[in-house]
């Protein structure tokens, strides 16, 4: 039992660090946000070990970004900065781990040799996680980045965040579908 727990903690640490590193290879947006592969290790952990492991991996990615200073913050008061960083980094990456809600459908498709069901489960999980992350970024855009808006702040935040979250979703869905379908052993069904 203890060895399994240590193995799980090591996997979370490794995949969290991998997500952090993959975020450096990115197309950065001017007021924050980027198109990168950061979600892939989080999603992999969510499908490999379940939702909790995915959420913890996402939290670790966000925490690594905070402690290394690789974050975009708006120049407001300290309390607002703390709230913005909490939402934009810890919550936004943690919700990516919720992609694992479709894990059982993926595993069922794998057991029955139905690649289509596996890919559908992956895309549905990535879409769910991307939508949740998008909502968090829209909220922080409205609350903290309204100074950049010309006109309606909500519409600005919805459009601005969609410009990078749609490509992030597509990239993660394509890469995870290809990766998980080609190497289903990455998702450990014995966990």
């Amino acid at each position: 039992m203890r060895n399994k727990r240590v193995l799980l903690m090591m996997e979370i640490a490794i995949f969290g660090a991998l997500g952090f590193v993959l975020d450096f290879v990115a197309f950065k947006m001017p007021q924050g946000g980027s198109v990168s592969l950061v979600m892939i290790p989080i999603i992999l952990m969510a499908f490999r070990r379940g939702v909790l492991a995915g959420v913890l991996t996402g939290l670790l990615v966000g925490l690594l970004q905070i402690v290394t200073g690789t974050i975009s913050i708006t120049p407001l008061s300290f309390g607002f900065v703390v709230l913005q960083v909490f939402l934009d980094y810890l919550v936004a990456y943690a919700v990516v781990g919720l992609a694992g809600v479709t894990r059982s459908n993926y595993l069922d498709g794998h057991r029955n040799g139905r690649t289509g069901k596996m890919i559908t489960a992956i895309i549905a999980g990535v879409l769910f996680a991307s939508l949740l992350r998008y909502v968090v970024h829209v909220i922080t855009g409205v609350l903290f980045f309204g100074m950049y808006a010309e006109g309606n702040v909500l519409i600005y935040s919805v459009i601005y965040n969609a410009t990078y979250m749609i490509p992030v979703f597509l990239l993660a869905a394509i890469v995870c579908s290809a990766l998980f379908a080609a190497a289903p052993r990455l998702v450990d069904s014995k966990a």
Side-chain angles (χ1 to χ4, degrees):
M1 178 65 149
R2 183 172 179 190
N3 288 339
K4 285 185 179 183
R5 190 171 283 166
V6 171
L7 177 63
L8 178 62
M9 288 189 302
M10 286 177 40
E11 286 182 8
I12 290 170
I14 289 167
F15 283 95
L18 180 60
F20 174 70
V21 170
L22 286 175
D23 201 33
F24 283 108
V25 183
F27 173 76
K28 303 276 185 192
M29 298 294 288
Q31 280 97 35
S34 63
V35 177
S36 74
L37 301 173
V38 66
M39 287 179 37
I40 293 169
I42 302 168
I43 294 166
L44 178 57
M45 277 304 295
F47 275 87
R48 181 173 171 79
R49 298 291 185 187
V51 171
L52 181 59
V55 169
L56 290 173
T57 304
L59 280 171
L60 182 59
V61 169
L63 189 61
L64 286 170
Q65 290 181 341
I66 292 168
V67 299
T68 58
T70 56
I71 58 176
S72 291
I73 56 173
T74 186
L76 298 172
S77 71
F78 179 74
F80 282 114
V81 168
V82 169
L83 182 60
Q84 184 234 327
V85 167
F86 175 76
L87 289 172
D88 253 348
Y89 294 93
L90 296 179
V91 174
Y93 288 112
V95 297
V96 173
L98 295 176
V101 298
T102 61
R103 179 178 187 254
S104 61
N105 292 340
Y106 172 86
L107 294 174
D108 184 52
H110 176 59
R111 277 190 295 274
N112 296 322
R114 296 178 57 201
T115 306
K117 186 172 183 175
M118 292 167 52
I119 291 174
T120 301
I122 294 163
I123 292 172
V126 174
L127 178 62
F128 180 65
S130 297
L131 284 173
L132 290 175
R133 181 178 168 202
Y134 173 69
V135 167
V136 171
H137 289 312
V138 167
I139 291 168
T140 59
V142 168
L143 295 176
F144 305 109
F145 291 91
M147 68 186 92
Y148 299 108
E150 293 179 17
N152 187 306
V153 175
L154 178 61
I155 293 172
Y156 173 82
S157 184
V158 165
I159 293 171
Y160 178 84
N161 287 293
T163 60
Y164 69 90
M165 281 306 300
I166 291 172
V168 165
F169 158 69
L170 293 172
L171 186 62
I174 291 167
V175 171
C176 286
S177 294
L179 186 65
F180 295 3
R185 290 188 58 150
L186 287 173
V187 178
D188 184 13
S189 61
K190 296 175 187 73

